């Protein structure tokens, strides 16, 4: 399957995922064009516009993928529940492939784990983080706590150190939450999922993790890999 990824921040998480999966799937990354990696509503909606996505999908064809993932959370949830589905449907119509996005993958992962109450550890400023809460609520998932950490850009999120990421997730947790969701695909998480889950004592669903999981499902690949967290156990 191929991963459409906006700009540069934590796209190397997919190479790490491919290594952990031991050859079960190839995860080539196609970088889509962006004008800005600012964590603003306007900039993040722009990365999910038709032109960069359809161009990325065209370039993905060289890999002959079985499925396509729009590997961006804010560039899908900021369009709302219904239009996020329209977004991937356009990609399906253009490519003939099964397509999903990171935002839709979060919902699918929660449903697979019977998770209905969550806490959110968002790198984003509040206006963007609030959009994720609305998206989840429209999908029937209750957000008990939504912590906005005001990281200004995707690039800055990609440079966050391990201790800061762990502290962010622990601080965002809520005692009644069944899982902690970490929505930014610009954040490096793949190498540390079991450690992060140990820090909060519950599943941690991170953006790049759920993106890989959903893509594998679309491609018809079944794989178990505990290093990728509860979702893959």
């Amino acid at each position: 399957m191929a991963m459409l990824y906006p700009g540069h921040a934590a796209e190397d998480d997919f190479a790490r995922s491919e290594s952990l999966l031991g050859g079960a799937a190839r995860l080539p990354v196609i970088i889509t064009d962006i004008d800005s990696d600012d964590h603003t509503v306007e900039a993040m909606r722009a990365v999910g516009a038709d032109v960069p996505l359809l161009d990325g999908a065209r370039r993905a064809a060289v890999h002959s993928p079985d499925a396509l993932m729009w590997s961006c959370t804010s560039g899908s949830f900021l369009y709302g529940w219904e239009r996020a589905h329209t977004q991937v449907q356009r990609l399906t119509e253009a490519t003939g492939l099964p397509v999903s996005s990171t935002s839709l993958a979060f919902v699918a992962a929660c449903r697979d784990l019977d998770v209905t109450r969550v806490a959110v550890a968002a790198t984003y400023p509040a206006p963007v983080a609030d959009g994720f809460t609305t998206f989840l609520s429209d999908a029937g998932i209750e957000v008990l706590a939504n912590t906005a950490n005001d990281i200004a850009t995707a690039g800055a999120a990609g440079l966050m150190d391990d201790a800061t990421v762990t502290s962010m997730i622990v601080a965002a947790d809520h005692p009644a939450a069944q899982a902690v969701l970490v929505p930014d695909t610009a954040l490096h998480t793949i190498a540390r999922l079991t450690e992060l889950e140990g820090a909060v004592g519950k599943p941690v669903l991170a953006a790049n993790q759920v993106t890989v999981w959903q893509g594998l499902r679309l491609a018809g690949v079944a794989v178990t890999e505990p290093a990728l967290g509860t979702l893959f156990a």
Side-chain angles (χ1 to χ4, degrees):
M1 63 185 173
M3 325 299 281
L4 302 183
Y5 189 92
H8 296 279
E11 67 271 27
D12 50 336
D13 258 4
F14 297 113
R16 292 189 181 95
S17 299
E18 186 173 314
S19 178
L20 286 169
L21 292 170
R26 292 178 56 250
L27 307 176
V29 175
I30 295 86
I31 301 298
T32 62
D33 291 335
I34 62 172
D35 292 326
S36 169
D37 74 342
D38 288 349
H39 276 164
T40 65
V41 171
E42 294 77 12
M44 294 295 93
R45 281 176 59 89
V47 304
D50 282 350
V51 170
L53 288 187
L54 292 172
D55 174 69
R58 176 187 58 78
R59 289 186 284 116
V62 69
H63 299 286
S64 301
D66 296 319
L68 190 66
M69 288 298 299
W70 169 220
S71 308
C72 180
T73 325
S74 55
S76 48
F77 71 70
L78 286 172
Y79 282 87
W81 178 247
E82 291 186 6
R83 289 186 65 190
H85 286 83
T86 300
Q87 186 184 58
V88 299
Q89 181 60 34
R90 286 174 178 162
L91 288 169
T92 293
E93 291 169 355
T95 63
L97 296 171
V99 182
S100 190
S101 68
T102 303
S103 292
L104 296 175
F106 269 112
V107 174
C110 285
R111 290 174 176 171
D112 190 74
L113 295 177
D114 293 324
V115 166
T116 58
R117 302 183 309 278
V118 302
V120 173
T123 57
Y124 316 123
V128 179
D130 289 346
F132 191 51
T133 294
T134 299
F135 183 87
L136 293 173
S137 297
D138 288 346
I141 298 168
E142 183 181 3
V143 179
L144 301 178
N146 181 17
T147 305
N149 283 273
D150 294 310
I151 306 301
T153 67
L159 294 174
M160 291 173 67
D161 62 59
D162 291 350
T164 302
V165 173
T166 300
S167 296
M168 180 186 76
I169 292 170
V170 170
D173 192 19
H174 185 284
Q178 297 165 293
V180 180
L181 275 53
V182 189
D184 196 353
T185 56
L187 198 65
H188 288 96
T189 54
I190 289 295
R192 303 183 59 242
L193 287 163
T194 55
E195 178 185 345
L196 295 173
E197 291 192 335
V200 293
K202 63 186 66 174
V204 170
L205 298 178
N208 293 330
Q209 170 208 33
V210 301
T211 302
V212 172
W213 175 82
Q214 181 79 325
L216 291 172
R217 283 168 32 112
L218 293 181
V221 177
V223 61
T224 298
E225 178 45 67
L228 288 170
T230 300
L231 185 61
F232 279 83

